[in-house]
């Protein structure tokens, strides 16, 4: 335990924990040769309907057989919010596709061990004990020379959709790396070089990632890159699963416990809030098919992804009760009343409301108002947090010293400190180039969510402060 750590250090550790996790897992899986066969039929050539072709990937398929497979493909489309549907635009995505009804792959990713390999990396929430991954085959894609797919997210097809799996079949090709990006980090999965390193043995390369992570297929410069893609869902497991607590999660727990033990930190209680790193499937705002009982939390915490899940697990382990909520800022552009931060347990029910003003009113009616406080849970009596920090730096004072702080006034709303800033308004980004999916989602779009951790006040259950500290 770092004895000299300040409140700011602990808060910083929690903040950084949301930025450092890798949102994907990848590998190379050896298979039996006979499991690398693929039957397909051409969806568009009438005379070929009913007649299937077979291609064997185990011995390095010939250029000719791959070209034949490519010519059996249709042009791949993608989803555009601006167009409110699927569009074909080869400036954005140039690739061939075969729909699941028109091909049959011998590969069984569960039997091959691929699902078992990726599950622990994707099922991070401690509520995932008793949960398993279910993979639903989505498409076969062929990326010939000059093919690519620009930056996009994979459209959520249900609120329990967690990730995407791409299996790259063994063909010689160059280019076509999958790049993933989140916050300021970037990762590359280069299937061409991975397969090259194992040429001569029957293997596939695979990558599984949280599907809200932005990804890009770089142009293929030579050969054919053939992929099977799957959507990954969370389902109940048939047998209980175990999970080892990873060290970064333990570090978050330690910092939370240290903060809770300090009687000067949030003495009157309040909330720590985190703008989550991942985005989550939310019902389309105007989708009238959406119904959910009011007492059910909007996002099942078991469905939290990666670093978000880790943070939530740490809070639970520290004895706290984290909750996923949605944040709305209202009255930003000059309507009566000052801007306010409203938090909801459900997306606002907007019904027939179209005007921004009415929407703000609805949100205020349905939500809880919060008052922002500093990282110690207090309101500085003079100046803002930033001004005070600048002054401290100048005078060399430490954070706990000196200037008077007050507890937040109850009538201003519940005190909240944002450890990481919230996502903007709770809307999916829109516009061509803004929100792009791999197809157009009818029911769900990605939205930002926030994790709220309620801090009990000193003396309340769950808040044992250090005995040797003065108060
Ligand atoms: O082929 C890949 O690596 C990814 C393809 C992709 O992003 C998609 O089909 O949505
Ligand atoms: Fe994708």
């Amino acid at each position: 335990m770092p004895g000299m750590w300040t409140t700011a250090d602990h808060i910083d550790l929690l903040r950084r924990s949301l930025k450092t996790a890798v949102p994907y897992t990848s590998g190379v899986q050896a298979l039996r040769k006979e499991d690398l066969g693929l039957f397909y039929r051409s969806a568009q050539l009438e005379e070929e309907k009913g007649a299937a072709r077979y291609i064997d990937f185990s011995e390095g398929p010939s250029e000719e057989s791959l070209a034949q497979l490519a010519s059996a493909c249709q042009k791949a489309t993608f989803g555009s919010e601006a167009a409110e549907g699927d569009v074909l635009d080869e400036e954005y995505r140039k690739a061939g596709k075969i729909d699941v009804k028109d091909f049959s792959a011998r590969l069984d990713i569960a039997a091959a061990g691929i699902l078992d390999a990726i599950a622990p990396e994707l099922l991070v929430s401690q509520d995932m004990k008793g949960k398993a991954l279910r993979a639903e085959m989505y498409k076969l894609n062929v990326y010939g020379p000059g093919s690519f797919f620009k930056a996009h997210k994979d459209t959520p097809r249900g609120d329990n959709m967690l990730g995407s799996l791409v299996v790259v079949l063994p063909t010689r090709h160059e280019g076509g790396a999958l790049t993933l990006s989140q916050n300021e980090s970037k990762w590359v999965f280069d299937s061409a070089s991975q397969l090259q390193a194992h040429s001569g043995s029957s293997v596939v390369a695979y990558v599984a990632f949280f599907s809200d992570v932005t990804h890009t297929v770089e142009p293929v410069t030579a050969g054919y890159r053939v992929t099977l893609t799957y959507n990954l869902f969370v389902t109940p497991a048939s047998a209980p699963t175990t999970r080892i607590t990873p060290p970064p999660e333990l570090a978050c727990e330690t910092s939370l416990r240290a903060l809770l033990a300090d009687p000067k930190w949030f003495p009157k209680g309040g909330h720590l809030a985190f703008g989550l790193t991942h985005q989550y499937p939310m019902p389309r705002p105007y989708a009238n098919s959406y119904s959910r009982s009011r007492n059910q939390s909007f996002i099942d915490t078991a469905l939290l992804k990666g670093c978000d899940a880790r943070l939530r697990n740490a809070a639970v382990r520290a004895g706290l009760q984290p909750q996923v909520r949605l944040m709305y800022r209202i009255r930003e552009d000059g309507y009566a009343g000052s801007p306010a931060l409203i938090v909801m347990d459900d997306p606002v029910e907007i019904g027939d409301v179209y005007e921004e003003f009415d929407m703000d009113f609805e949100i205020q009616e349905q939500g809880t108002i919060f008052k922002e406080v500093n990282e110690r849970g207090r309101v500085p009596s003079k100046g803002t947090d930033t001004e005070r920090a600048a002054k401290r730096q100048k005078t060399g004072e430490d954070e706990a010293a000196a200037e008077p702080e007050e507890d937040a006034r109850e009538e201003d709303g519940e005190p909240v400190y944002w450890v990481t800033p919230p996502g903007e308004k709770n809307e999916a980004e829109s516009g061509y180039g803004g929100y792009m999916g791999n197809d157009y989602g009818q029911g769900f779009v990605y939205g930002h969510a926030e994790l709220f951790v309620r801090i009990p006040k000193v003396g309340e259950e769950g808040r044992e402060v250090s005995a040797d500290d003065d108060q």
Side-chain angles (χ1 to χ4, degrees):
M1 173 67 220
M4 301 300 286
W5 276 35
T6 62
T7 302
D9 293 330
H10 290 299
I11 294 280
D12 200 45
L13 183 139
L14 295 173
R15 183 179 295 126
R16 275 183 290 117
S17 79
L18 279 176
K19 312 247 151 124
T20 48
V22 175
Y24 77 100
T25 178
S26 66
V28 168
Q29 179 66 49
L31 299 164
R32 298 186 306 178
K33 272 191 163 54
E34 54 269 39
D35 289 337
L36 282 170
L38 175 85
F39 294 91
Y40 67 96
R41 61 177 188 168
S42 170
Q44 67 263 57
L45 296 176
E46 196 52 47
E47 66 268 26
E48 289 189 23
K49 281 239 168 94
R53 287 210 184 98
Y54 178 76
I55 177 166
D56 178 7
F57 286 86
S58 69
E59 305 278 356
S62 67
E63 199 74 5
E64 189 196 341
S65 60
L66 286 166
Q68 216 167 39
L69 174 68
S71 71
C73 288
Q74 292 172 315
K75 288 182 173 178
T77 56
F78 57 90
S80 155
E81 282 298 309
E84 291 185 27
D86 289 334
V87 293
L88 174 67
D89 178 351
E90 292 198 315
E91 294 287 303
Y92 208 86
R93 181 183 200 183
K94 189 170 187 299
K97 65 133 189 190
I98 301 184
D99 292 330
V100 278
K101 65 178 175 31
D102 293 319
F103 73 89
S104 176
R106 284 276 311 128
L107 174 65
D108 174 345
I109 51 167
I114 295 176
L115 271 187
D116 285 345
I118 63 176
E121 304 298 324
L122 296 187
L123 299 177
V124 181
S125 168
Q126 72 171 18
D127 285 359
M128 291 298 191
K129 289 178 197 158
K131 295 278 163 59
L133 275 187
R134 181 174 66 80
E136 194 174 274
M137 191 181 270
Y138 175 59
K139 291 271 188 281
L140 178 132
N141 286 114
V142 179
Y143 292 80
S147 292
F148 58 84
F149 193 174
K150 287 189 181 166
H152 68 283
K153 298 167 187 247
D154 288 349
T155 307
R157 288 177 193 79
D159 53 5
N160 64 336
M161 177 163 153
L162 192 71
S164 305
L165 167 68
V166 180
V167 174
V168 188
L169 297 173
T171 61
R172 287 178 70 92
H173 61 273
E174 283 166 32
L178 179 78
T179 62
L180 300 123
S181 58
Q182 190 174 52
N183 294 326
E184 279 79 48
S185 304
K186 212 169 167 177
W187 301 270
V188 181
F189 164 72
D190 185 357
S191 54
S193 54
Q194 298 224 3
L195 290 169
Q196 178 68 34
H198 293 83
S199 61
S201 38
S202 51
V203 298
V204 292
Y206 64 85
V207 57
F209 49 91
F210 296 115
S211 31
D212 65 294
V213 175
T214 301
H215 55 282
T216 302
V217 182
E218 304 294 339
V220 170
T221 52
Y224 291 87
R225 177 182 186 271
V226 183
T227 59
L228 296 170
T229 57
Y230 302 80
N231 294 320
L232 300 172
F233 297 89
V234 177
T235 54
S238 47
T241 49
T242 54
R243 178 176 178 275
I244 296 162
T245 309
E249 194 172 305
L250 289 172
C252 286
E253 179 190 343
T254 305
S255 277
L256 281 171
R257 286 189 186 279
L259 291 168
L260 289 168
D262 177 358
K264 295 196 206 73
W265 185 73
F266 274 88
K268 295 271 155 102
H271 302 258
L272 282 188
F274 303 83
L276 294 175
T277 294
H278 287 278
Q279 290 184 303
Y280 293 90
M282 312 229 169
R284 224 168 236 295
Y286 297 98
N288 49 18
S289 59
Y290 178 66
S291 71
R292 181 187 288 263
S293 70
R294 295 285 307 173
N295 56 10
Q296 199 178 343
S297 171
F298 174 59
I299 294 171
D300 184 349
T301 47
L303 297 173
L304 287 175
K305 302 173 204 171
C307 50
D308 298 341
R310 206 161 70 184
L311 182 65
R312 184 253 168 196
N313 294 346
V316 171
R317 293 171 61 90
L320 300 168
Q321 287 168 353
Q323 228 186 326
V324 180
R325 296 172 127 179
L326 306 178
M327 205 265 330
Y328 294 81
R329 278 185 200 282
I330 63 166
R331 291 193 296 261
E332 280 177 303
D333 34 348
Y335 292 109
S338 54
L341 193 64
I342 310 273
V343 168
M344 319 258 307
D345 292 334
D346 268 311
V348 64
E349 286 176 8
I350 39 185
D352 299 327
V353 177
Y354 295 106
E355 298 285 327
E356 176 113 354
F357 171 73
D358 292 341
M359 174 102 147
D360 282 4
F361 178 78
E362 282 301 320
I363 292 172
Q364 183 159 353
E365 287 291 291
Q366 295 177 36
T368 311
I369 299 191
F370 279 86
K371 158 86 187 157
E372 291 190 52
V373 294
N374 67 20
E375 65 191 14
R376 293 176 296 287
R378 319 289 296 274
V379 184
S381 34
K382 259 195 306 182
T384 64
D385 231 20
T386 331
E387 286 161 358
R388 284 164 48 78
K391 192 166 170 208
R392 276 203 308 276
Q393 208 165 21
K394 237 165 141 182
T395 58
E397 277 180 71
D398 84 0
E399 61 164 336
E403 287 193 46
E405 291 177 318
E406 293 163 7
D407 296 325
R409 289 181 312 174
E410 263 166 44
E411 61 272 24
D412 288 340
E414 298 185 33
V416 62
Y417 175 68
W418 286 97
V419 182
T420 57
E424 287 306 298
K425 259 194 180 175
N426 231 307
E427 291 163 359
E429 303 146 59
S430 60
Y432 207 80
Y435 183 88
M436 310 294 283
N438 60 344
D439 70 12
Y440 184 71
Q442 293 293 340
F444 292 88
V445 286
Y446 287 122
H448 294 280
E450 287 76 34
L451 189 75
F452 274 71
V453 180
R454 196 181 86 80
I455 309 300
K457 64 176 181 236
V458 171
E460 199 182 330
E461 199 184 336
R463 186 74 196 270
E464 281 87 41
V465 301
S466 303
D468 56 359
D469 235 316
D470 58 331
Q471 162 72 350

